[in-house]
Structure formats: C-alpha cells, structure tokens
Amino acid sequence: MSSFSPNNRHRSGPRTWWAAAIVVCLLGASAVGAQPWELYPAVYELDKWSLDWSPAHGLSVEAHRVVRINRAAGAEAGRIHIWDTFFQRLVGFQGEVRDTLGRVLFTVGPEAVRPIAPFSEFRLYSGDVIRAVDLVAPHPPYIIEARWTVKIDNPFFWPDWVLGDHWPRRRAVYEVKIPADKAIRFEVAAAGLQQFEDHHPRRQVTRWELHDWVPPDTTFGSVNGTVPLLHVAPREFRFGRRNGRTDSWEALGQWYWGLASGQLELSADQRHEIDQHLKDIVGDRARAAALKDWVSDRWRYVAIEVGIGGWRPHPAREVFVNRYGDCKDVVFLWLAMMRHAGIPAYPALMRARNPLQLNPDFPKDWFDHVVGWTVINGDTLWADPSDRRYPLGTLPRACEARWALAVGPFGGRLLFTPSQTAAQNRFVTRMEGTLDSVGDLNFTAHVLASGHFARCLPLRGGSDARDNIAVLLGVARPSVDGIVDRIEVVASDAIAADLRGRISGWAVSGPHQLLIRPAPAGWVAADTLGGRPDPGHVEFRQSVDDTLIVHLPQDWSAQYWPTAPPAVDSGGEFREERELNDGALVLTRHLRWDALGRTDGERHTLSRIRAAYRAARNAEWLFTPSSGRQPVDSNTVSPVKGAAPSQDRGVGGRRIPSG
C-alpha cells in the first residue's frame, strides 16, 4: 500500500450496505469550517469510493479511506468497519495505523476480517453474512489508512451505501462507472458536491468530489445526526428473467407484484379448513382479525431463502403446511386466506430495522420487512402476522410512522404507517417501601402498562414471581423476593399489577450510614426512554409517571442531600421532583414524549431528554441516625440539608457527586 505524507491523510469509518443507491451519511448540511482541523476529534483526509457496475458480472467496489485522529474521541472515531453483506466477496484488504510523522505502528491484512453475525435484508437473504474488520488507533494523534475491494456477484445491483461518519472531510470522491448503453439517476442531497462526467468507449464515469466539508456546529459529534449526501441508482435492473425500473415507486411495485403474486394459491383442503375456521365469525373486520391471529399463533419464524427467495415468498400452500417461514411468507399466507374469504388485502414493504426513513422523492430498494394491509369499511387496517402480540389494526413500534411501499395490481405507492399516541403508550408506577438499617427495602407497588409497554413486557405465566417483579420494577432478579398479588388485563392492550416484597441491598449500607442511589438499585420506574424490553431507545410515543416513596428507618435523617436542582428537560418533556418530609423520601418523574425520534430535530430533543434523565438517576442521598450519630469528617459530608460537601467523598471513600 502506498503511504501518504503526514499532511495528506484521509479518514475511514463505516459500512457498506446493499441496494441501489449510494447514500453518504454525514452530519448536517455543508459548510466550510473556519476552525483549524486540529480542533476536531477526527478528520477524513480522504474518503474515496469507486463503483464499477456491469449488468452481466455485478458490481466491483474499491474503497480507500484515511482518517486523522487528533485527540481522544472514543473508539468510534478511530475505527474502520467493513461490512461484507449478501453475495459480496471481500477480495482484498490492507490497513495500517501510523503516527503523524508517517511511521507505521502496525498493519493488518485479510486475516483481520471476520464474520461477526448472520444478517439479512429483505431483498437478498440467501447466504448473508456480515464480515467486519476493526482497525483502531490506540492513542491519538494517529493516522488510520485502509484500502479494500468488494465484489458483488449478483448483477441485480442495487448498492445502497451508508457512509455514516460524522466527522469533517478534507477530500471525498465518489465515482460510479456503468456501461455506455446504461443510465443512472441520482440526487444530490447536500450542497458542496461537484459533479464531473467522463465518457469512454465502453464505460461512462460520473464522479462527485467534496472538499473541506465541515458539519454545522449544531450537529457535529452527534451520532444520530446523519443526513444523506448523495443518492445513486441504475434506471433499469434485471433479476433472473425479470426486468425492472427504479424511476418510480409504481414501477418498483409492479416488478415486485409480478414476482410474488403467483404465490397466493391454496389447496382445496386448505380452503375448506379456512371456511370451517370462519363459519361462526360475522363481519369482514372480525374475519380478517381472526385470520391474522390464526396465522400468527400457528407460525414460527424460520428463514429459508435461496437465490430469488430473498424477494419471492414461498407458495402460501407450502407455508400453510409447514407452519414456518419468514415475514413475507407469513404475510402472503394471510393474504391468500383473506383473498379466499373475499377480503382484498396486499403486502407492504418497509424498512423497520434502520431508523433512517426512505426518501419519498427517490425510489429505491431499501426494505427489510413486509407487513400486510387491507381496507374495510373505508378504514386502512395494518397487520404484522409475524408478531403475535399485535392484533389487526396495530403495528410493532419499529413499523410505526414509516414509509411503506404498498404493492398490488396497481403497482406500488407509498403509504405512511400510523402510530399510537403518548396517551395510549403509558407506564405508571407507584412504589412505597420502608428502608431498614442494612439497606433492604420492604415495598408494595402498583404498575399500569398500556400500549407498547404492555405488549412488550416479557411477563411469563407460571414462572417464579420474582421474574415478573423484576421485569415490572426494573430490578435485578437475584435481589428481589416477593409476591404478585394481581396481574390483570384491564383492557385489550393494558395490564395492571399489584406487587409486594423485599429488595435486598436497595441502598448501600455503611457504618451508621445509608447511601441511596436509585438507579443502580433498580429504581422502580421503567427506563423512561424506552420501556422494559429495550431500554435506551425511544421508538414510540410514550407517557411515563413514576412515584417512589421511601420511609427511612426510625430516627434517621438526611446527612447529605443533592445540592443540584432536580433534573428538568428544557423542553418540558421530562421533569423530576424531590421531597423529604417526616422521614419519607418522595421522588417523582414524569416523561411525555410525543415524537418518534425519526428526524434530526427529534433526535436532538431525545438527546437532551436523555441527559436530563441521566442526571436524575445518578443523584445520591446519604442518611445517618439522628441520635448516636458517629462523628463525620467535615470534609466528607455536610450535616446541613442542601449544603454541598467541601470534598466529594462518601461511604467507604466512594465519591459522592454534588448533584
């Protein structure tokens, strides 16, 4: 590999996806930064990609990236990920880490590339494997440089690159080579790219260059603040014997419906069984719901796709017999049943795993999931037969507020999926307990969960009560022992529970001291930023109200009290309230999140809420007996409520933050 002079370095970063567009994701729109490059944690000196496409032989991708690490910025800034997905072969890889004087510290080769997990996109499942290589600069300032080549054997070609680093670029080059008789379409999504074209006898080359690009300060450093820089796709494609076009959603839908609609046939015996199942059910809506539930309850997810099987579902009659398949298999089984019952229903393709939305103005294949939809009495009803927790008319949270390509004899058209409101997705907890002198908490609690909270709670009937208490209260199972007095389904999507028991080690005990830090002890509130099943990710609108009342041991009082004010989000979405009266500590937290975190603005709001939430859960309280109090070092804690300790030291020499 050729090496670069120290002042001509270029950066690396992300991952190569699939499909028919190059999407270069960076933070923010363009702007030339006036600040010295050394002020940024990392800077791409070069980000170069060359795509050479042949309808007969597939796609060859060559990449060259160099990044300069200026200072400690975490692992993400100093790491190269190479993703080698579906039908791709990593032909070669070379990488090295050098210091800023150009001295090579270490090198890696193809042996550093490893398969890390099976992965599949809806389009081409067969043989999917993610391969990755991490090339990390251990301590900045260093230079990371890598070159690699990837072959996509499938001539279908719909490459969709997501280059998602959020660091500035000194120079970027994105190049597409195609046969002279073919055409591409593209959309520049951010200013600053310069376009060049070069014609050869057999190849047409389109190149985009970017120089001295700096993300706006408002988005710099935000992992989620990426926006597409460039979309590219071929106007025509061919898969097997079927030609298709990408210039409209209708054309893409026509191609898919022509490919999959022949899989809807059922046998005579299967149709008779469906008739028997529906004979006592009246009304199209009730019949559609019964078929959805019947399919969901009888089906297991087993993905077996070979070749075009990543696109085309298995015949519905086979899925009916086997009772397994992937998402599109079970959707087409439901569609076949609905068709026999005389209720028109159709598939819809969507991107459920990735938070980035489709660009409705640039048709492309960016789907990893299939759901169904039908119109009954003027109402559009969505169904995900692959998730038995969600009845007809509801969708899992990852499928809400998404563009979906509805497909049928009409071709394809984009629909936007609905979402539940924050009032529908509620998690309310009230817990009251008495703390003993060794830090154990005897408690009673009431929990009400509705919407996604209720559907996603992993409650298990017949299991040890501690399992369900741990789930409902968010505490570690070994630390809790108790009884579930009641778990009741109070509505179609709401659960209420009454609990009582004991949480061991809820507070940290020391010599004549109790340190309360609700978060590590498992504060009873749901993780208000995501709910029990998947903490830390807001993917649905929600409203959370948590109340915690802790009665201290008799004659104990506050020795140290957080001096920082209660955490409140500046936008009003989150607030915390504290009170200490008559030996009882009362904490309440309220969250109302009416967005879905899909747009840049909503993601920034989410980041702000999370910061307030972390501040609230990291606060600490120290209590000691009012009588017989042991001498306390004045440099350890202050006996005056609200006064800050002169040194942040606490129980056992542990640091106690002042807020």
Side-chain angles (χ1 to χ4, degrees):
M1 175 190 307
S2 64
S3 62
F4 278 63
S5 62
N7 57 4
N8 187 23
R9 311 296 184 192
H10 314 11
R11 159 36 159 158
S12 108
R15 43 201 177 198
T16 327
W17 284 91
W18 45 279
I22 300 174
V23 184
V24 180
C25 289
L26 303 166
L27 280 187
S30 67
V32 175
Q35 299 178 356
W37 296 105
E38 289 74 15
L39 295 181
Y40 294 99
V43 174
Y44 278 98
E45 297 287 349
L46 176 67
D47 184 26
K48 184 176 182 180
W49 293 78
S50 178
L51 291 80
D52 193 343
W53 173 52
S54 164
H57 302 102
L59 181 71
S60 174
V61 181
E62 294 183 357
H64 182 195
R65 299 184 129 183
V66 183
V67 62
R68 180 189 182 103
I69 309 298
N70 290 328
R71 61 180 185 270
E76 182 162 347
R79 178 174 297 170
I80 292 176
H81 298 290
I82 296 177
W83 306 89
D84 180 21
T85 61
F86 70 88
F87 295 117
Q88 294 186 13
R89 293 182 293 111
L90 186 63
V91 176
F93 174 77
Q94 289 179 299
E96 64 184 24
V97 173
R98 291 173 278 121
D99 62 20
T100 51
L101 297 178
R103 296 173 295 195
V104 176
L105 303 179
F106 63 89
T107 61
V108 297
E111 70 282 353
V113 180
R114 64 193 188 284
I116 57 175
F119 185 85
S120 58
E121 296 295 344
F122 165 65
R123 193 172 55 79
L124 294 171
Y125 285 105
S126 179
D128 297 359
V129 174
I130 286 182
R131 297 185 180 180
V133 58
D134 293 340
L135 185 56
V136 181
H139 302 289
Y142 286 135
I143 304 297
I144 295 178
E145 181 172 358
R147 300 172 186 263
W148 64 90
T149 303
V150 172
K151 297 284 188 181
I152 302 178
D153 296 329
N154 192 335
F156 177 54
F157 174 64
W158 215 323
D160 183 357
W161 265 256
V162 180
L163 308 183
D165 283 284
H166 44 276
W167 307 115
R169 279 160 166 72
R170 298 293 302 273
R171 181 171 179 242
V173 180
Y174 309 112
E175 183 178 75
V176 178
K177 303 175 183 178
I178 60 173
D181 61 340
K182 300 298 180 181
I184 61 172
R185 59 191 181 89
F186 61 88
E187 180 179 279
V188 175
L193 282 174
Q194 293 180 299
Q195 180 184 345
F196 304 90
E197 292 190 3
D198 189 11
H199 297 274
H200 299 279
R202 296 185 178 182
R203 310 299 285 165
Q204 177 178 333
V205 180
T206 305
R207 184 177 73 257
W208 294 266
E209 293 192 10
L210 186 68
H211 297 272
D212 293 340
W213 184 90
V214 177
D217 292 338
T218 55
T219 57
F220 174 74
S222 169
V223 176
N224 293 322
T226 58
V227 295
L229 183 64
L230 175 69
H231 303 277
V232 177
R235 288 190 178 275
E236 298 178 355
F237 65 92
R238 181 179 180 86
F239 192 81
R241 298 181 179 180
R242 294 186 176 273
N243 295 326
R245 295 182 62 85
T246 71
D247 51 0
S248 71
W249 292 113
E250 181 181 5
L252 180 56
Q254 287 174 346
W255 178 83
Y256 181 70
W257 184 249
L259 181 74
S261 58
Q263 309 298 88
L264 291 168
E265 296 300 322
L266 295 168
S267 69
D269 290 342
Q270 291 167 350
R271 293 194 295 270
H272 176 72
E273 188 173 347
I274 294 170
D275 291 337
Q276 291 299 111
H277 186 74
L278 297 178
K279 66 179 181 179
D280 296 325
I281 302 175
V282 179
D284 285 351
R285 188 169 187 138
R287 290 156 67 87
L291 290 175
K292 189 277 175 191
D293 294 340
W294 190 31
V295 170
S296 296
D297 291 340
R298 290 161 53 100
W299 168 83
R300 293 180 296 113
Y301 187 94
V302 178
I304 301 177
E305 297 102 353
V306 177
I308 203 171
W311 263 107
R312 177 189 285 158
H314 290 87
R317 60 180 178 271
E318 294 182 9
V319 182
F320 191 104
V321 172
N322 296 332
R323 298 187 183 181
Y324 64 76
D326 61 16
C327 59
K328 62 183 180 297
D329 290 331
V330 70
V331 165
F332 271 75
L333 174 58
W334 181 68
L335 299 180
M337 291 178 168
M338 292 280 285
R339 178 189 244 186
H340 174 67
I343 308 172
Y346 304 99
L349 285 56
M350 65 170 53
R351 180 78 167 179
R353 280 194 293 258
N354 194 305
L356 294 177
Q357 286 278 20
L358 288 174
N359 178 356
D361 298 322
F362 193 87
K364 65 177 179 177
D365 165 38
W366 210 25
F367 308 113
D368 58 19
H369 191 49
V370 185
V371 298
W373 63 281
T374 183
V375 179
I376 299 177
N377 297 328
D379 293 334
T380 300
L381 302 175
W382 296 85
D384 188 347
S386 61
D387 195 328
R388 62 190 304 270
R389 298 171 300 181
Y390 289 85
L392 179 71
T394 62
L395 287 172
R397 63 189 194 181
C399 298
E400 288 190 330
R402 303 297 249 165
W403 285 113
L405 179 61
V407 175
F410 48 82
R413 65 172 180 261
L414 283 186
L415 299 177
F416 200 72
T417 61
S419 60
Q420 292 181 312
T421 66
Q424 292 171 309
N425 298 318
R426 294 191 65 200
F427 201 101
V428 180
T429 307
R430 179 182 173 85
M431 177 172 167
E432 186 168 358
T434 300
L435 191 63
D436 63 24
S437 58
V438 296
D440 295 345
L441 185 70
N442 293 288
F443 71 89
T444 59
H446 174 75
V447 176
L448 173 65
S450 65
H452 290 307
F453 283 113
R455 298 189 193 283
C456 296
L457 282 172
L459 301 177
R460 292 177 291 178
S463 63
D464 191 321
R466 290 181 293 181
D467 291 332
N468 288 334
I469 293 175
V471 167
L472 288 166
L473 299 185
V475 298
R477 186 188 182 281
S479 68
V480 66
D481 190 12
I483 296 172
V484 178
D485 289 326
R486 176 182 69 113
I487 293 185
E488 179 182 355
V489 178
V490 296
S492 61
D493 65 344
I495 296 173
D498 293 320
L499 321 166
R500 55 190 169 95
R502 182 182 187 87
I503 301 176
S504 302
W506 191 88
V508 180
S509 62
H512 303 282
Q513 293 178 335
L514 285 172
L515 179 69
I516 295 179
R517 182 191 295 147
W523 181 17
V524 298
D527 182 335
T528 57
L529 298 183
R532 289 289 171 268
D534 189 13
H537 298 279
V538 171
E539 292 183 351
F540 58 95
R541 297 179 171 101
Q542 59 183 269
S543 175
V544 178
D545 296 280
D546 300 319
T547 303
L548 171 64
I549 304 174
V550 178
H551 298 275
L552 301 173
Q554 190 173 4
D555 296 329
W556 284 53
S557 62
Q559 177 75 358
Y560 169 78
W561 184 262
T563 56
V568 177
D569 169 59
S570 59
E573 287 89 352
F574 174 80
R575 74 178 187 276
E576 179 201 28
E577 300 168 0
R578 310 170 184 164
E579 186 178 6
L580 179 62
N581 282 324
D582 298 327
L585 172 65
V586 182
L587 304 176
T588 58
R589 293 178 188 168
H590 308 276
L591 172 72
R592 186 178 178 94
W593 176 249
D594 287 297
L596 288 177
R598 304 295 192 198
T599 67
D600 290 341
E602 290 169 353
R603 283 194 288 265
H604 289 304
T605 301
L606 171 57
S607 178
R608 192 181 68 235
I609 295 175
R610 283 180 173 159
Y613 182 71
R614 282 193 298 268
R617 60 183 270 169
N618 288 332
E620 295 179 333
W621 292 261
L622 182 66
F623 299 93
T624 59
S626 300
S627 60
R629 181 179 300 166
Q630 296 296 309
V632 178
D633 187 341
S634 61
N635 288 331
T636 304
V637 292
S638 170
V640 180
K641 176 180 176 180
S646 57
Q647 291 186 14
D648 288 337
R649 274 204 246 260
V651 176
R654 295 171 57 253
R655 182 180 183 275
I656 301 178
S658 58

